[in-house]
Amino acid sequence: MGGGLIGVELAEMLHSRKIDVKILIREPLFWSSVLPDTDALLVQNHLESRGVEVISNTEIKGFLTHDETRVSGVELSDNSRLEAQFVGVSIGVEPNISFLTESGLETNQGILVNKHLQTSDESIFAIGDCAELRQSDPKRRALEAVWYVARKMADALSEHLINGSFAYDQGHWFNSAKFFDLEYQTYGQVSNSSKRKNSEQHFHWHNPRMTKGLTLAYEVHSRLFLGVNAFGIRLKQSAFEHWLDQSASIDTVIKELETAHFDTEFSKNYTKELRYAFLSNNS
Amino acid sequence: MLSYQTTASQRIFTFLGLFGILLLFASGIGESLSISSNVLTSSALAIIGLAIFGYTYASYAPYHSGIKNNANVLKSLTQRGVWAYVSALVLTAFYVVLYFFDAYLEPMIRGFDFISQSLSGKPATQWFVYGVLYTLAILLFGVKFIVKYRHSRYQVIRTLSVMFFQLIFAFLLPEFMARLNGDLPYYDLKSMWPLNYYLFDGYYIESFVSAQTLGIGLLIFGVLSIFVISPILTYKFGKRWYCSWVCGCGGLAETAGDAFRHLSDNSIRAWKLERWMIHSILVLITLSTVGVVHSYLLEHPEEYWLSPSVFILSVVSLLVAVVGLIYFKRRAWIAKDAKTAMIIVGALLAGFTGMHFLSDTYHVFLIPSHSLRSVYGFFVGSIFSGVIGTGFYPLLGNRVWCRFGCPMAAILGIQQKLFSKFQITTNSGQCISCGNCSAYCEMGIDVRAYAQKAEPIKRASCVGCGICAEVCPRGVLRLENTSNPNQQA
């Protein structure tokens, strides 16, 4: 149960051992709490093509057990029951900081830190999934529990400890994952369908087999490029960092997309097809 | 419980393959059973082919394309279990018999006469049989490799390339050339000195020369290959153009050895051993080749325009030029032991010059030149490249020879490290430290150590198979020919 990155990894590992898996999610589409519906559909399609059933719009009301020692299934919100030998729960991360309540450190959802990653006691630092920034980029969350953020924080902190003053900069958001055989990369901001404002426009392209897909987000009026979600396509991070730094327009990104190519040599080049689709969409 | 390690159909095809191999060795006794040995040999080969195709189908057809290395570390054959030791023993024994006790293979060899007759018009030898089996292994396991990596065009094209070069250049062309011109020695056009260390042996040169224009043309091509063609291609594409696209040793390692690539030792200790071994072998083969040619020229003073002194002088000037180029252009790039190696090369140069004065017809450095050459042929040519190199696939990984022994790889490696546009580029800070790249690197390179630091990978030993980029779950690695060759990675 739970439609995030850990849930899908767990499902993949069980599936590789020839164990039948079902994924139960609260959302209407897989990971649509993060992905726009076009992309969520692409991922869900991929999971189903691998023989994993995704049961959407479902919550678990309770667990069923064998003589109180082993789980035997779950009862769903529509009162139906599913038999199971194993139930994996992956419904997100929340810092477990209850042991700090007596410590006097200031906490909110996580441990509060300044831009040097110092807690309210300046000789104590906090980084990673438990650290919550007092001042964060308005477009970003103050607590970002992902690997790359933890790594960046560790880099910044070691710099701070060795060379004195160095502030942690959230930089441009990026993340990556792999859903079975489908690689995913994202740079910048792409809102999901329910949070997307009217000023944020999405251009989505995917190949007919739905093994490659790209969603580019931009502002309607200024045409400012906001971010990208890529599926089954490898993109060069430095190219997107450059465009985001330069506040490049969506038209520049489309025009220069080839420079962000990071697929293995001899891979089919999709940029022509994508550019054609974009231009015919925008004229 | 349904096993996820090996399925029933995989087992059936494995046993069918073993049966085919037994039948092949038994083909010699066909006559006594009044069955034609041609029929037995052909059916044995057909059964082996069927078994490998069947195994491939059973392994990959039920699944979608994509990286599938499931249960690799749980299987006896691929994780140094009993089956790994059994197959290493059988393979090694086969090589020992092939090299040193070929009389035992005689009945089996006769079973291949009809194939040999139809190609070159000569009866089969043990090397012809080995050639057929080697080529079949690359072709059949090549198909398996292509099916496994069918989602990647780089892997598919690269594998078609090694299959093509093995079948046409290593196997068919030499047979046809022998048919056209009986004086011509066996010559695999794609194999270069020092990999074919015997290229400049007296008897080899004589048979080239006696084969007139074609032979001399081939000899010139052989010299151009290593001194001109190979440096240009390595500059542009890295050593992969040879090691994982053309070479037969590499071809077998990539196809038949694919299941064992994760067994290569990743430790720093192995890396150090590798550098000392491979470069020592390069020095040894250079020394013995120069010695062999030198004595040959001394023995035939009237026949060639090249006098022994001119020969020694040109070898010394060439080496001085190469070492000088490395020293003045790349001094800052090379580590301490590489500098040590350059001192060794310096000593070697002094040695060559001294050799000229201390040598008579049969001695180089006061050591009989032909015994130096036969020591190399025995220990490196036979024991290392064959018995250990291939026999130990299931124990030490599939590139033992390429990594620790091949003098050709040593030369290409120096070029790749110091003068090449090839590198593996890392996609900024995207590595998640999973370690798949290091685990599946057949050359034992700790790819992850570079990827974690977002550094490009420019290593002498990298053969550019591209498997690190395939198994990376985050698309962090990319093989590229676009790096600045004057900039240290």
Side-chain angles (χ1 to χ4, degrees), chain A residues 244-263:
Chain A
L244 291 165
D245 278 342
Q246 304 286 310
S247 306
S249 73
I250 178 70
D251 307 287
T252 310
V253 173
I254 293 278
K255 206 175 112 200
E256 295 171 5
L257 196 59
E258 217 129 7
T259 60
H261 196 64
F262 208 70
D263 279 337

Side-chain angles (χ1 to χ4, degrees), chain A residues 16-18 49-50 147-148 151 176-178 181 183 185 187 234-237 262-263 265-266 268, chain B residues 63-65 68 70 153-154 240 425 427-432 452 469 472-476 478-479:
Chain A
S16 78
R17 267 41 177 166
K18 306 221 158 126
S49 78
R50 288 331 189 234
W147 156 274
Y148 293 126
R151 221 196 82 136
S176 69
K178 194 173 182 186
D181 295 312
E183 285 174 24
Q185 294 181 331
Y187 304 107
R234 294 175 170 184
L235 297 171
K236 200 181 273 177
Q237 183 173 1
F262 208 70
D263 279 337
E265 294 158 292
F266 302 112
K268 275 207 179 113
Chain B
Y63 306 102
H64 289 86
S65 61
K68 296 285 177 295
N70 293 344
R153 286 180 80 200
Y154 179 75
R240 58 178 168 158
T425 305
N427 199 4
S428 305
Q430 296 246 18
C431 173
I432 56 164
Q452 283 173 325
C472 176
R474 295 296 189 269
V476 176
R478 183 167 196 259
L479 277 58

Side-chain angles (χ1 to χ4, degrees), chain B residues 121-404:
Chain B
K122 294 175 187 162
T125 61
Q126 94 238 49
W127 303 118
F128 178 80
V129 174
Y130 181 53
V132 172
L133 297 180
Y134 198 100
T135 307
L136 272 179
I138 291 187
L139 294 180
L140 296 169
F141 284 106
V143 170
K144 176 174 179 277
F145 189 94
I146 287 176
V147 174
K148 178 176 176 184
Y149 295 96
R150 60 192 182 277
H151 57 283
S152 164
R153 286 180 80 200
Y154 179 75
Q155 298 304 336
V156 171
I157 296 171
R158 183 173 71 81
T159 307
L160 288 173
S161 168
V162 288
M163 289 161 75
F164 168 81
F165 279 102
Q166 176 60 34
L167 178 66
I168 307 296
F169 279 70
F171 184 64
L172 289 180
L173 269 184
E175 296 294 334
F176 292 144
M177 271 161 36
R179 169 159 258 182
L180 287 176
N181 187 335
D183 296 328
L184 217 52
Y186 170 87
Y187 187 53
D188 171 1
L189 281 170
K190 68 175 174 51
S191 189
M192 297 177 209
W193 182 89
L195 194 55
N196 57 359
Y197 51 90
Y198 40 80
L199 181 65
F200 299 111
D201 282 8
Y203 75 93
Y204 223 79
I205 293 179
E206 268 165 16
S207 48
F208 271 134
V209 173
S210 66
Q212 312 263 316
T213 326
L214 184 58
I216 293 171
L218 285 178
L219 191 60
I220 293 173
F221 178 73
V223 176
L224 282 180
S225 294
I226 185 66
F227 292 115
V228 181
I229 302 174
S230 147
I232 294 175
L233 290 173
T234 309
Y235 173 79
K236 286 188 122 145
F237 308 111
K239 79 199 249 189
R240 58 178 168 158
W241 79 266
Y242 193 72
C243 296
S244 65
W245 282 74
V246 173
C247 179
C249 307
L252 191 73
E254 292 293 339
T255 52
D258 176 57
F260 308 109
R261 57 175 69 241
H262 59 291
L263 299 173
S264 306
D265 190 341
N266 283 114
S267 67
I268 300 252
R269 212 176 41 140
W271 184 13
K272 284 185 177 157
L273 178 70
E274 162 195 318
R275 281 182 293 182
W276 277 105
M277 280 191 75
I278 197 170
H279 295 119
S280 307
I281 289 176
L282 177 61
V283 167
L284 188 64
I285 186 58
T286 309
L287 199 64
S288 72
T289 304
V290 171
V292 163
V293 175
H294 184 251
S295 355
Y296 179 75
L297 291 173
L298 275 177
E299 281 168 36
H300 306 266
E302 303 303 316
E303 288 171 45
Y304 298 97
W305 52 268
L306 189 64
S307 77
S309 354
V310 173
F311 171 69
I312 289 288
L313 271 177
S314 24
V315 171
V316 171
S317 359
L318 182 72
L319 281 174
V320 168
V322 170
V323 172
L325 183 70
I326 294 175
Y327 191 77
F328 288 108
K329 292 267 182 189
R330 299 288 186 260
R331 190 171 17 173
W333 297 24
I334 43 187
K336 209 177 86 203
D337 55 350
K339 286 191 183 125
T340 318
M342 293 183 73
I343 295 169
I344 295 177
V345 174
L348 205 71
L349 291 181
F352 284 146
T353 329
M355 177 201 302
H356 186 54
F357 300 103
L358 292 174
S359 302
D360 54 39
T361 319
Y362 304 104
H363 295 80
V364 190
F365 275 145
L366 310 175
I367 306 166
S369 63
H370 292 281
S371 70
L372 192 63
R373 178 48 194 71
S374 44
V375 164
Y376 183 90
F378 178 77
F379 283 106
V380 180
S382 310
I383 300 285
F384 201 162
S385 74
V387 180
I388 299 177
T390 310
F392 282 24
Y393 271 11
L395 300 179
L396 297 175
N398 56 337
R399 284 272 191 179
V400 179
W401 160 248
C402 313
R403 203 182 155 190
F404 296 98

Side-chain angles (χ1 to χ4, degrees), chain B residues 193-194 226 230 234 279 282 406-416:
Chain B
W193 182 89
I226 185 66
S230 147
T234 309
H279 295 119
L282 177 61
C406 178
M408 176 83 196
I411 295 185
L412 296 178
I414 294 170
Q415 288 172 18
Q416 168 160 290

